[in-house]
Amino acid sequence: MIRQRSRHRLLDRVFRILFPALVLLLLNGCSSLGYYSQLGNGQIRLLQAREPIDRVIADPARDPKLRAHLAQAREARTFASAHLHLPDNQSYRLYADIGRPFVVWNVFATAEFSLAPQTHCFPIAGCVAYRGYYSQSAARGEAAMQRLRGMDVSIGGVEAYSTLGWFNDPILSSMLHWGDERLATLIFHELAHQRFYVKDDTEFNESFATFVEQEGTRQWRAQRGLAPDHGNKVRQREQFIRLILDTRQRLESLYALPLPAEQMRQRKAAEFERLRADYEHMRDTQWAGDKRYDAWVYAPLNNARLLPFGLYDQWVPAFAALFRREGEDWVRFYVAVEKLGRLAVDERKAALKELAASPTASLLTTRTSHLPSAPATASH
């Protein structure tokens, strides 16, 4: 325990020493000192808040519900390394109470007539399709600036993120709100990012991590003797995601047309109205009026609202097919994923398309982080 605490303090000191130099390096990239300062300060505060979950569980003065959640998380964390062959380190064997519902807020932005995200590039993570803020007000300020530039903008709260193994990432208090299974899925997802990550390919990275969490959750339920989660909620998630992805495809075709701006704007609005109408038909005829996605559908829609769906789900069927092809062997699967990740971008996408078209591909949405009971957000 003492050795763990000393290690955490050492990481904090190293981060404080290196951060000013890191900021100077990053300023040669795509953003400002203020933005990177808030990233560094936010990460420092998070590191300072960590404590071993074994200590929390053993402390009778701590909240019994918290201790019970962390006890379940400890079992899921052990399962992740022992059965899913995810990294065996101190990540998610620590806990941090951050005192807010989300650890960061991501700002997604697109041009008015495009589904291509505005990307932001970082030396470690590469280019990603969002910009993260530890303060919700700062995220709203960035969103307002983007709207003034004529961009479509969306803000999504994030419960967890991975530092890709650079630090021992803790279980955050923001990860505890949706129950023990939700917490397990987040652990599987974030450890998948540590297991393998390709710079500058958000769709690949997030689809890979989403598949790992989904298949990992299925195996986690089986290991505990629980029935597979293939009920109405899963079916509805699959249908809703397909509805959004179909809308994305129609919009992409629309934006490729040489139309005047006003006509393009009208047809764009018509596509979003079609999305709502198709949703209402599906809800009322197939779901017996279940309104779990109403809040998301009836909120203002734009291109940026659709971004997480393409980023987090696009290649899930391809990874499912790859997993089946490798005999559902995790070690072989990861080797095959790494081989895909080393391909040139065009070759990688072609290989993923071929996998997604195979008979063994399936969209197993046991959980999508941007799709809660009323769709919200995505984890890094």
Side-chain angles (χ1 to χ4, degrees):
M1 190 78 71
I2 293 174
R3 183 177 299 173
Q4 286 181 336
R5 287 198 297 269
S6 298
R7 187 178 182 183
H8 302 158
R9 286 196 293 268
L10 176 60
L11 285 176
D12 292 342
R13 288 197 295 271
V14 169
F15 195 90
R16 288 195 191 95
I17 292 169
L18 292 181
F19 178 66
L22 181 61
V23 167
L24 291 175
L25 171 64
L26 293 172
L27 285 176
N28 292 321
C30 64
S31 194
S32 67
L33 177 61
Y35 175 70
Y36 286 105
S37 293
Q38 67 90 26
L39 285 183
N41 291 333
Q43 181 64 36
I44 287 171
R45 289 194 295 271
L46 190 151
L47 294 176
Q48 290 174 329
R50 296 172 304 171
E51 55 183 322
I53 64 170
D54 288 345
R55 185 171 69 190
V56 179
I57 293 169
D59 185 353
R62 304 295 285 266
D63 181 359
K65 291 184 179 179
L66 171 62
R67 294 165 64 199
H69 277 313
L70 292 181
Q72 284 289 319
R74 182 169 60 184
E75 292 185 21
R77 179 64 184 85
T78 299
F79 179 86
S81 293
H83 295 273
L84 307 183
H85 296 273
L86 291 168
D88 189 4
N89 52 32
Q90 285 302 304
S91 288
Y92 310 110
R93 292 186 168 104
L94 307 166
Y95 172 70
D97 187 342
I98 60 173
R100 57 184 187 271
F102 299 109
V103 60
V104 294
W105 285 263
N106 282 345
V107 178
F108 295 89
T110 73
E112 184 181 8
F113 303 129
S114 173
L115 285 165
Q118 184 180 72
T119 58
H120 306 276
C121 300
F122 305 88
I124 295 172
C127 297
V128 296
Y130 46 78
R131 210 174 189 199
Y133 292 84
Y134 283 89
S135 163
Q136 186 178 25
S137 62
R140 288 173 173 169
E142 170 66 14
M145 292 294 293
Q146 293 290 350
R147 290 190 187 99
L148 288 174
R149 298 186 182 108
M151 304 291 281
D152 278 13
V153 184
S154 176
I155 301 175
V158 175
E159 300 154 316
Y161 66 83
S162 172
T163 60
L164 306 179
W166 282 75
F167 299 97
N168 290 321
D169 298 318
I171 292 172
L172 304 172
S173 53
S174 55
M175 299 166 67
L176 301 178
H177 301 299
W178 286 3
D180 293 332
E181 185 163 302
R182 165 68 164 166
L183 179 55
T185 68
L186 286 170
I187 291 171
F188 301 156
H189 184 105
E190 301 306 335
L191 284 173
H193 285 314
Q194 290 191 19
R195 181 63 181 78
F196 188 66
Y197 186 90
V198 178
K199 275 192 174 185
D200 306 336
D201 197 336
T202 301
E203 293 96 335
F204 181 94
N205 294 322
E206 295 300 346
S207 295
F208 163 65
T210 297
F211 171 74
V212 171
E213 76 168 62
Q214 292 175 0
E215 179 60 24
T217 299
R218 187 191 69 78
Q219 295 186 15
W220 172 235
R221 291 181 65 86
Q223 195 264 354
R224 293 181 295 150
L226 299 178
D229 184 12
H230 292 316
N232 289 334
K233 291 182 179 179
V234 173
R235 178 176 57 83
Q236 289 175 9
R237 286 181 184 133
E238 291 177 351
Q239 292 174 332
F240 188 77
I241 290 170
R242 177 47 52 195
L243 186 69
I244 301 301
L245 294 180
D246 288 346
T247 302
R248 282 178 54 95
Q249 290 178 350
R250 292 196 303 271
L251 285 170
E252 285 174 344
S253 297
L254 170 63
Y255 296 151
L257 299 176
L259 298 177
E262 188 54 38
Q263 186 178 354
M264 183 77 78
R265 202 166 286 126
Q266 292 171 359
R267 291 186 59 176
K268 173 184 175 181
E271 286 296 345
F272 284 123
E273 286 307 310
R274 176 178 173 179
L275 168 60
R276 291 192 174 104
D278 289 348
Y279 165 75
E280 289 171 355
H281 177 76
M282 185 167 61
R283 178 196 65 193
D284 297 339
T285 61
Q286 301 181 43
W287 299 358
D290 189 326
K291 298 182 178 180
R292 71 180 63 246
Y293 299 124
D294 277 19
W296 191 93
V297 169
Y298 295 121
L301 293 174
N302 62 28
N303 297 328
R305 292 285 306 283
L306 307 186
L307 278 182
F309 293 87
L311 296 175
Y312 284 70
D313 296 295
Q314 181 173 355
W315 300 122
V316 172
F319 286 110
L322 184 62
F323 187 69
R324 307 292 181 262
R325 192 190 77 183
E326 298 302 324
E328 302 188 7
D329 181 295
W330 284 108
V331 175
R332 287 173 51 189
F333 170 70
Y334 294 136
V335 171
V337 169
E338 291 170 6
K339 184 177 179 181
L340 276 177
R342 288 192 293 269
L343 295 174
V345 175
D346 291 344
E347 293 179 79
R348 186 187 311 142
K349 290 188 183 299
L352 289 167
K353 287 179 181 178
E354 183 177 352
L355 283 165
S358 69
T360 55
S362 61
L363 186 59
L364 302 174
T365 49
T366 58
R367 192 287 296 178
T368 48
S369 57
H370 57 281
L371 269 180
S373 297
T377 67
S379 59
H380 286 24

